[in-house]
Amino acid sequence: MIRKGAFARLSSKLRSRSNETSTFTGTQVHPPTTGEEDIPGDKLDSDSKSDNASLDKYYVPIDSFEGRHRYDPKATWTLEEEKSLIRKLDLRVCAYCCFMFFALQIDRSNISQALSDNFLDDLGMNTNDYNTGQTIFFVSFLAAELPSQLVSKKIGPDNWIPIQMISWSIVACCQAKLTGRATFFLTRSLLGIVEGGEGSDGFQIILANRIIRDDPSKGDMHNRQAVTPRLLWQALKDYDMLPIYLLGFTWTIPHQCATAYLTLVLRGLKFDTFETNLLTVPAYTLFIIQLIFWTWFSEKINDRYLIILMCQIYMFPILVALEVLPAGAAYAWSRYVLNMLLVGYPYVHAIIVAMTSRNAGSVRTRTVGTALYNMSVQASNIISSNIYREHDKPLYRTGNQVLLGLIAWNIVLIILSKLYYMSKNSQREKVWQGMSEAERANYLETTEDKGNKRLDFRFVH
């Protein structure tokens, strides 16, 4: 059986996935078990009660792990206690994180609204200058991403994130004094640099044990343990993460172009400033709805690449329609609807970030891998910032042809990536199931394999 935490086992039962007892992915596996369905319905307990306890010692967190003093493989709690904890975390932690990210997005993306009110003309710039400014922003963000993650790992995110927030707020305020290209480029660069990377005792016992049981690799390092150069190099050369990094380079480019140029396209269709800003609301409303729904649905069906593939298929006919739609005022509303649908597409970034975290298999690879994935996304922003050009406006037909080609590439990459992870899991499962309990214990005690290279690790896909 795959090693599952109490919450994961409960979720499996509630979803009636009786066949998943040997395919739970994104963590380490555990020896076969019997009688799992005899677990009391109102009580959640440790894996040691249903799994063979002889291997539990190999999954104990390090001594310096923040919750080590609360780790107890025999601890139990009720379903209602866990639900109460989740509600508190959602309200006190997740809600605040959402608010902070909301503030970040205002500073990062309010330039789209400025474009609708003659921003480029006021600063004496054109579309190509805007592209250059966006490129500078994303290059700066890209350069700061990994160093920022490493600093955060060293001094703790609770110290580093407030420093970043204060810094980008100061730079954002300075944008009120822009005078031309030079100051525009400067603030774009500074914003990119500073934005890069970005209960009761009983509840603490539940939280510490819930986290470790669900993913033992999270106990490998503590919150302020720096990633050494050797660990950094090991994470950088993790070839099993390459499919995710490659996907980050291109999967969102069609949407990025549509989002960055939505207000310019609407102004080019002769909508005034007020109408342009008002017409962006339905697009972003659809975007939020699709983000929440498809992220939830991917967990519901336990499939990530299928949803990512659907995202590309969704965009393809829209871009074809934009490419062949005739010019002229008679088609302005049709073009608006198509651009709205493209901006409001199924945004799967949260799905891929979660998949990056799960497939990392260790804290050091999770730290570096998340940074590298975000860097690949920022690199894709650099590409997308230079696809729609001045000579191609306002319909950007050449740019749309490039985007259609990228979607075709994405579809091939997504299919190959899923097949790769399925193949890796199948090979490891065959070896693991062929080992006796003594052989598994010997492997866990003597192996030099780390993180997602271990035989008892399964990739999510």
Side-chain angles (χ1 to χ4, degrees), residues 347-360:
Y347 188 58
V348 296
H349 182 62
I351 297 174
I352 302 177
V353 169
M355 184 167 61
T356 303
S357 177
R358 294 183 183 184
N359 285 349

Side-chain angles (χ1 to χ4, degrees), residues 7-207:
F7 179 76
R9 289 192 5 249
L10 175 68
S11 298
S12 180
K13 290 174 64 183
L14 292 177
R15 296 172 186 170
S16 299
R17 293 181 180 174
S18 59
N19 293 328
E20 287 187 6
T21 55
S22 64
T23 57
F24 186 82
T25 51
T27 184
Q28 284 87 29
V29 298
H30 216 46
T33 173
T34 59
E36 179 176 334
E37 297 306 316
D38 295 331
I39 299 170
D42 63 344
K43 200 72 172 176
L44 301 177
D45 59 357
S46 71
D47 287 346
S48 61
K49 288 190 176 183
S50 60
D51 293 336
N52 192 312
S54 63
L55 302 188
D56 279 346
K57 63 181 180 180
Y58 301 112
Y59 298 96
V60 175
I62 60 175
D63 291 338
S64 56
F65 177 71
E66 286 81 357
R68 179 64 180 85
H69 60 295
R70 296 187 178 91
Y71 175 74
D72 180 5
K74 297 181 180 180
T76 63
W77 55 87
T78 66
L79 174 60
E80 285 305 314
E81 287 175 324
E82 181 163 300
K83 285 184 176 180
S84 177
L85 172 60
I86 292 174
R87 285 193 296 269
K88 287 181 181 291
L89 291 174
D90 286 344
L91 180 63
R92 300 181 183 181
V93 179
C94 293
Y96 185 61
C97 289
C98 288
F99 175 76
M100 290 191 294
F101 203 82
F102 171 79
L104 167 64
Q105 283 299 107
I106 290 178
D107 288 342
R108 180 187 297 180
S109 60
N110 63 355
I111 188 172
S112 296
Q113 278 62 51
L115 290 174
S116 67
D117 195 20
N118 303 313
F119 175 78
L120 297 181
D121 293 337
D122 291 345
L123 295 181
M125 301 191 303
N126 59 27
T127 301
N128 290 343
D129 294 325
Y130 170 67
N131 290 346
T132 302
Q134 290 298 86
T135 299
I136 290 173
F137 170 82
F138 292 120
V139 168
S140 300
F141 196 110
L142 181 68
E145 179 69 33
L146 184 55
S148 178
Q149 290 280 1
L150 296 177
V151 171
S152 177
K153 192 69 183 67
K154 174 64 176 178
I155 68 176
D158 52 325
N159 291 319
W160 182 236
I161 292 177
I163 294 174
Q164 288 184 287
M165 293 181 67
I166 294 172
S167 299
W168 82 55
S169 297
I170 293 173
V171 176
C173 290
C174 292
Q175 291 180 116
K177 292 296 184 179
L178 295 181
T179 58
R181 283 191 303 174
T183 51
F184 173 64
F185 292 164
L186 176 61
T187 55
R188 286 285 96 188
S189 177
L190 291 176
L191 275 178
I193 291 172
V194 297
E195 289 182 2
E198 177 37 46
S200 67
D201 187 62
F203 279 157
Q204 291 171 349
I205 292 174
I206 297 174
L207 184 60

